[in-house]
Amino acid sequence: MNLQLTDIGHVIQLAIAPVFLLTGVCTNLMVLTNRLARIIDRSRVLEDRLDIAYQDAYMDELDVLYRRWHLINYAIALSTACGLLVCLVIALLFLGDTTNVPLDQYIAGLFVIAMLCLIGSFVYLLVEIFVASKTLRSRRHVRPPGSQPNPH
Protein backbone atom coordinates (compact mmCIF):
# COMPACT_ATOMS: atom_id res chain seq x y z
CA MET A 1 0.00 0.00 0.00
CA ASN A 2 1.66 3.18 -1.24
CA LEU A 3 -0.27 5.98 0.40
CA GLN A 4 0.54 9.52 -0.61
CA LEU A 5 -0.54 12.75 1.04
CA THR A 6 -2.20 14.01 -2.14
CA ASP A 7 -4.36 10.87 -2.29
CA ILE A 8 -5.59 11.40 1.27
CA GLY A 9 -6.28 15.07 0.50
CA HIS A 10 -8.35 14.04 -2.52
CA VAL A 11 -10.36 11.55 -0.46
CA ILE A 12 -10.96 14.16 2.23
CA GLN A 13 -12.27 16.51 -0.46
CA LEU A 14 -14.63 13.78 -1.67
CA ALA A 15 -15.80 13.11 1.88
CA ILE A 16 -16.65 16.76 2.62
CA ALA A 17 -20.08 16.67 0.92
CA PRO A 18 -21.24 13.55 2.80
CA VAL A 19 -19.99 15.08 6.05
CA PHE A 20 -22.16 18.16 5.44
CA LEU A 21 -25.05 15.84 4.64
CA LEU A 22 -24.40 14.07 7.93
CA THR A 23 -24.64 17.42 9.73
CA GLY A 24 -28.05 18.00 8.16
CA VAL A 25 -29.20 14.52 9.09
CA CYS A 26 -28.14 15.12 12.70
CA THR A 27 -30.08 18.40 12.73
CA ASN A 28 -33.11 16.54 11.37
CA LEU A 29 -32.72 13.97 14.16
CA MET A 30 -32.69 16.75 16.75
CA VAL A 31 -35.94 18.17 15.33
CA LEU A 32 -37.53 14.72 15.32
CA THR A 33 -36.48 13.88 18.87
CA ASN A 34 -37.76 17.26 20.09
CA ARG A 35 -41.14 16.57 18.49
CA LEU A 36 -41.16 13.10 20.02
CA ALA A 37 -40.37 14.55 23.45
CA ARG A 38 -43.32 16.96 23.18
CA ILE A 39 -45.62 14.11 22.15
CA ILE A 40 -44.46 12.00 25.10
CA ASP A 41 -44.85 14.90 27.54
CA ARG A 42 -48.40 15.62 26.38
CA SER A 43 -49.27 11.91 26.51
CA ARG A 44 -48.12 11.71 30.11
CA VAL A 45 -50.25 14.71 31.06
CA LEU A 46 -53.32 13.17 29.43
CA GLU A 47 -52.69 9.76 31.00
CA ASP A 48 -52.40 11.41 34.42
CA ARG A 49 -55.69 13.20 33.81
CA LEU A 50 -57.31 9.93 32.76
CA ASP A 51 -56.16 8.34 36.02
CA ILE A 52 -58.16 10.99 37.86
CA ALA A 53 -61.26 11.04 35.64
CA TYR A 54 -62.06 9.41 32.33
CA GLN A 55 -63.01 11.71 29.45
CA ASP A 56 -63.51 10.83 25.81
CA ALA A 57 -61.73 14.01 24.72
CA TYR A 58 -58.57 12.86 26.49
CA MET A 59 -58.75 9.44 24.85
CA ASP A 60 -59.31 11.01 21.43
CA GLU A 61 -56.27 13.22 21.87
CA LEU A 62 -54.20 10.27 23.07
CA ASP A 63 -55.19 8.32 19.95
CA VAL A 64 -53.87 11.16 17.79
CA LEU A 65 -50.71 11.42 19.87
CA TYR A 66 -50.07 7.68 19.50
CA ARG A 67 -50.43 8.00 15.73
CA ARG A 68 -48.01 10.94 15.71
CA TRP A 69 -45.63 8.96 17.94
CA HIS A 70 -45.54 6.10 15.41
CA LEU A 71 -44.93 8.48 12.51
CA ILE A 72 -42.08 10.24 14.32
CA ASN A 73 -40.53 6.89 15.28
CA TYR A 74 -40.50 5.82 11.63
CA ALA A 75 -38.94 9.15 10.68
CA ILE A 76 -36.27 8.76 13.37
CA ALA A 77 -35.48 5.21 12.25
CA LEU A 78 -35.12 6.27 8.61
CA SER A 79 -33.05 9.33 9.47
CA THR A 80 -30.76 7.23 11.66
CA ALA A 81 -30.40 4.66 8.88
CA CYS A 82 -29.51 7.50 6.51
CA GLY A 83 -26.81 8.73 8.92
CA LEU A 84 -25.35 5.25 9.24
CA LEU A 85 -25.30 4.78 5.47
CA VAL A 86 -23.59 8.14 4.97
CA CYS A 87 -20.95 7.09 7.50
CA LEU A 88 -20.45 3.88 5.53
CA VAL A 89 -20.09 5.91 2.34
CA ILE A 90 -17.35 8.01 3.96
CA ALA A 91 -15.59 4.90 5.30
CA LEU A 92 -15.75 3.19 1.89
CA LEU A 93 -14.32 6.29 0.22
CA PHE A 94 -11.24 6.02 2.43
CA LEU A 95 -11.10 2.23 2.25
CA GLY A 96 -11.36 2.18 -1.52
CA ASP A 97 -8.65 4.79 -1.90
CA THR A 98 -6.20 3.23 0.53
CA THR A 99 -6.63 -0.35 -0.73
CA ASN A 100 -7.07 0.49 -4.43
CA VAL A 101 -10.19 -1.67 -4.45
CA PRO A 102 -12.89 -0.33 -6.80
CA LEU A 103 -15.84 0.37 -4.48
CA ASP A 104 -17.51 2.98 -6.68
CA GLN A 105 -20.70 0.99 -7.26
CA TYR A 106 -21.07 0.19 -3.55
CA ILE A 107 -20.52 3.81 -2.62
CA ALA A 108 -23.07 4.99 -5.18
CA GLY A 109 -25.59 2.34 -4.11
CA LEU A 110 -25.24 3.16 -0.43
CA PHE A 111 -25.59 6.86 -1.18
CA VAL A 112 -28.80 6.28 -3.16
CA ILE A 113 -30.22 4.15 -0.33
CA ALA A 114 -29.23 6.87 2.17
CA MET A 115 -31.09 9.45 0.10
CA LEU A 116 -34.18 7.22 -0.06
CA CYS A 117 -34.06 6.87 3.74
CA LEU A 118 -33.76 10.65 4.12
CA ILE A 119 -36.67 11.21 1.74
CA GLY A 120 -38.74 8.69 3.72
CA SER A 121 -37.84 10.43 6.96
CA PHE A 122 -38.98 13.77 5.58
CA VAL A 123 -42.22 12.22 4.28
CA TYR A 124 -43.03 10.78 7.71
CA LEU A 125 -42.18 14.13 9.34
CA LEU A 126 -44.48 15.91 6.90
CA VAL A 127 -47.33 13.48 7.53
CA GLU A 128 -46.85 13.92 11.30
CA ILE A 129 -47.01 17.70 10.88
CA PHE A 130 -50.21 17.36 8.83
CA VAL A 131 -51.77 15.15 11.53
CA ALA A 132 -50.79 17.65 14.24
CA SER A 133 -52.12 20.60 12.23
CA LYS A 134 -55.38 18.84 11.41
CA THR A 135 -55.90 18.04 15.09
CA LEU A 136 -55.19 21.62 16.08
CA ARG A 137 -57.68 22.95 13.51
CA SER A 138 -60.36 20.49 14.61
CA ARG A 139 -60.06 21.58 18.26
CA ARG A 140 -60.02 25.32 17.54
CA HIS A 141 -62.50 27.33 19.55
CA VAL A 142 -64.66 29.75 17.61
CA ARG A 143 -65.26 33.29 18.88
CA PRO A 144 -68.95 33.83 19.74
CA PRO A 145 -70.84 36.14 17.38
CA GLY A 146 -70.60 39.80 18.39
CA SER A 147 -67.51 39.45 20.56
CA GLN A 148 -64.46 41.52 19.77
CA PRO A 149 -60.92 40.16 19.55
CA ASN A 150 -58.57 41.18 22.35
CA PRO A 151 -56.44 44.11 21.00
CA HIS A 152 -53.44 43.17 23.16
Side-chain angles (χ1 to χ4, degrees), residues 15-29 79-88 90 111 115 118:
I16 294 278
V19 168
F20 281 120
L21 174 61
L22 197 56
T23 303
V25 169
C26 289
T27 303
N28 184 40
L29 277 169
S79 196
T80 303
C82 175
L84 290 171
L85 290 168
V86 170
C87 288
L88 279 173
I90 294 168
F111 189 77
M115 290 300 94
L118 187 60

Side-chain angles (χ1 to χ4, degrees), residues 92-120:
L92 287 179
L93 280 169
F94 281 98
L95 185 66
D97 191 63
T98 57
T99 61
N100 291 325
V101 175
L103 299 173
D104 301 355
Q105 291 180 342
Y106 297 108
I107 292 169
L110 286 174
F111 189 77
V112 168
I113 295 169
M115 290 300 94
L116 291 174
C117 287
L118 187 60
I119 290 167

Side-chain angles (χ1 to χ4, degrees), residues 7-147:
D7 292 338
I8 293 295
H10 178 68
V11 174
I12 290 173
Q13 286 176 339
L14 287 175
I16 294 278
V19 168
F20 281 120
L21 174 61
L22 197 56
T23 303
V25 169
C26 289
T27 303
N28 184 40
L29 277 169
M30 285 193 311
V31 168
L32 294 171
T33 55
N34 284 336
R35 292 186 73 83
L36 180 61
R38 288 180 171 269
I39 291 167
I40 290 171
D41 290 344
R42 181 64 182 157
S43 296
R44 286 181 180 156
V45 167
L46 291 172
E47 287 169 355
D48 288 343
R49 288 180 183 175
L50 281 169
D51 287 341
I52 296 169
Y54 179 86
Q55 288 190 15
D56 284 334
Y58 295 157
M59 286 303 297
D60 292 343
E61 189 175 349
L62 268 176
D63 289 341
V64 172
L65 289 171
Y66 290 148
R67 180 164 184 236
R68 290 178 56 199
W69 173 72
H70 284 291
L71 292 167
I72 287 294
N73 277 335
Y74 289 134
I76 289 172
L78 286 170
S79 196
T80 303
C82 175
L84 290 171
L85 290 168
V86 170
C87 288
L88 279 173
V89 165
I90 294 168
L92 287 179
L93 280 169
F94 281 98
L95 185 66
D97 191 63
T98 57
T99 61
N100 291 325
V101 175
L103 299 173
D104 301 355
Q105 291 180 342
Y106 297 108
I107 292 169
L110 286 174
F111 189 77
V112 168
I113 295 169
M115 290 300 94
L116 291 174
C117 287
L118 187 60
I119 290 167
S121 176
F122 286 144
V123 167
Y124 277 111
L125 173 60
L126 190 61
V127 171
E128 190 272 334
I129 289 170
F130 287 156
V131 169
S133 298
K134 179 181 176 185
T135 304
L136 182 64
R137 281 191 306 273
S138 70
R139 298 188 194 291
R140 182 173 179 231
H141 292 290
V142 179
R143 187 173 291 120
S147 67

